[in-house]
């Protein structure tokens, strides 16, 4: 193991569970993890390449499923329930701690770890002060390779927005937002139902996991988002420089 380390890609699913998610939306969100399990069961070779964690957030954030192998026979999937407001800051701070602890542990267990991927789903604007959540985001994503300052384990961040989520706010979460490995965000189209959009976004997540895992099997690395032709109806994809949703 120490001479030929296995390579893992950690995925973090971060879901808004504020009161506005009550009803069909939280039910749709609770179907995401079972869909991932089913996808991996159909592609068991990917089970050795990816790991998953589930974090929810409202006024505070909680780890509902620590980073794990979704095909573990002893795994019990948690059920999300709604509570409180929409603190992006709480989510970003917990996410930073979890990524740091998880990557250190995986490396201690002699794994090679690809940069984590975070799928961040929200149905509303942050209830934190603007400066607070932006500072938490900066602490999660900023890293200076020249000086080593910042968070070297920063993740790729892919936002998903439904219902009253602000596209401009979510667009500012995309990371990296430029360069050859820039990420994208996914927004519910006007007229679509939030629960249907969440189901569509689950398809995007499953597609990303399968594509990323297959790429790793083939010797590539990193998260692979689905091409435009594979984006489900009712959801649109945008880059950090797009403004056609205004």
């Amino acid at each position: 193991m120490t001479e030929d380390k296995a390579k893992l890609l950690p995925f973090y699913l971060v879901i808004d569970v504020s009161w506005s998610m009550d009803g069909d939306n939280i039910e749709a969100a609770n179907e995401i993890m079972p869909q991932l399990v089913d996808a991996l069961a159909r592609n068991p070779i990917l089970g050795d390449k990816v790991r998953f964690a589930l974090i929810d957030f409202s006024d505070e954030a909680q780890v509902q499923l620590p980073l794990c192998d979704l095909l573990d026979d002893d795994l019990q999937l948690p059920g999300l329930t709604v509570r409180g407001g929409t603190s992006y800051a709480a989510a970003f701070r917990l996410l930073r701690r979890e990524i740091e602890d998880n990557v250190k542990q995986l490396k201690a267990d002699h794994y090679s770890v690809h940069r984590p991927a975070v799928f961040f789903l929200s149905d509303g604007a942050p209830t934190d002060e603007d400066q607070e959540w932006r500072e938490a985001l900066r602490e999660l994503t900023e890293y200076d390779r020249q000086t080593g300052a910042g968070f070297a384990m920063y993740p790729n961040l892919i936002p998903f927005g439904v219902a009253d989520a602000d596209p401009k706010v979510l667009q500012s979460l995309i990371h990296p937002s430029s360069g050859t490995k820039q990420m994208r965000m996914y927004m519910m189209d006007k007229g679509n139902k939030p629960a249907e959009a969440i189901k569509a976004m689950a398809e995007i997540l499953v597609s990303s996991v399968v594509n990323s895992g297959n790429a790793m099997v083939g010797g590539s690395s990193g998260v692979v988002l689905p091409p435009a032709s594979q984006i489900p109806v009712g959801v649109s994809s945008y880059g950090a420089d797009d403004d056609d949703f205004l």
Side-chain angles (χ1 to χ4, degrees):
M1 178 72 75
T2 56
E3 293 181 354
D4 185 17
K5 296 178 181 178
K7 295 181 179 178
L8 293 177
L9 173 56
F11 283 90
Y12 292 81
L13 179 56
V14 183
I15 297 182
D16 182 345
V17 293
S18 57
W19 287 117
S20 55
M21 285 283 288
D22 196 20
D24 292 343
N25 296 354
I26 199 68
E27 290 182 11
N30 272 319
E31 291 302 314
I32 296 175
M33 295 302 285
Q35 288 184 49
L36 284 170
V37 173
D38 289 344
L40 290 177
R42 293 193 299 269
N43 301 274
I45 192 172
L46 305 185
D48 293 333
K49 302 295 183 184
V50 295
R51 293 291 183 270
F52 290 88
L54 175 63
I55 292 173
D56 69 11
F57 69 98
S58 57
D59 293 322
E60 65 346 299
Q62 299 178 3
V63 177
Q64 295 295 345
L65 184 67
L67 194 71
C68 66
D69 177 358
L70 287 184
L71 295 183
D72 188 325
D73 291 337
D74 296 326
L75 178 70
Q76 292 188 341
L77 295 178
L80 301 177
T81 57
V82 297
R83 62 181 192 275
T86 311
S87 176
Y88 282 22
F92 296 149
R93 288 172 181 146
L94 179 59
L95 190 54
R96 191 185 192 283
R97 293 195 297 272
E98 283 297 301
I99 289 175
E100 186 169 25
D101 290 347
N102 293 161
V103 171
K104 286 180 177 177
Q105 185 59 57
L106 289 172
K107 289 184 175 179
D109 292 338
H110 307 297
Y111 288 103
S112 177
V113 185
H114 290 298
R115 188 164 301 286
V118 173
F119 290 82
F120 182 92
L121 191 157
S122 179
D123 74 334
T127 50
D128 316 292
E129 293 291 336
D130 190 73
Q131 182 178 357
E132 183 180 8
W133 72 260
R134 291 188 185 279
E135 176 64 15
L137 175 65
R138 186 192 65 75
E139 293 173 354
L140 173 67
T141 57
E142 279 195 5
Y143 177 64
D144 188 327
R145 293 182 183 276
Q146 297 298 320
T147 64
F151 187 42
M153 303 173 192
Y154 69 85
N156 293 309
L157 183 50
I158 302 108
F160 291 75
V162 302
D164 296 325
D166 186 331
K168 293 296 290 183
V169 168
L170 287 184
Q171 191 178 36
S172 71
L173 309 186
I174 298 173
H175 191 81
S177 59
S178 61
T180 58
K181 297 182 179 180
Q182 59 185 290
M183 295 292 108
R184 301 185 66 81
M185 74 167 180
Y186 299 90
M187 290 295 301
M188 180 183 80
D189 292 341
K190 291 181 179 179
N192 194 11
K193 296 180 179 178
E196 295 302 314
I198 291 172
K199 293 176 183 177
M201 291 178 185
E203 294 182 36
I204 295 172
L205 175 54
V206 168
S207 178
S208 299
V209 170
V210 172
N211 291 345
S212 302
N214 283 327
M216 292 176 66
V217 171
S220 299
S221 63
V223 62
V224 179
L225 299 178
S229 61
Q230 293 182 10
I231 304 300
V233 174
V235 172
S236 296
S237 171
Y238 302 93
D241 297 328
D242 291 335
D243 58 6
D244 54 350
F245 50 82
L246 295 175

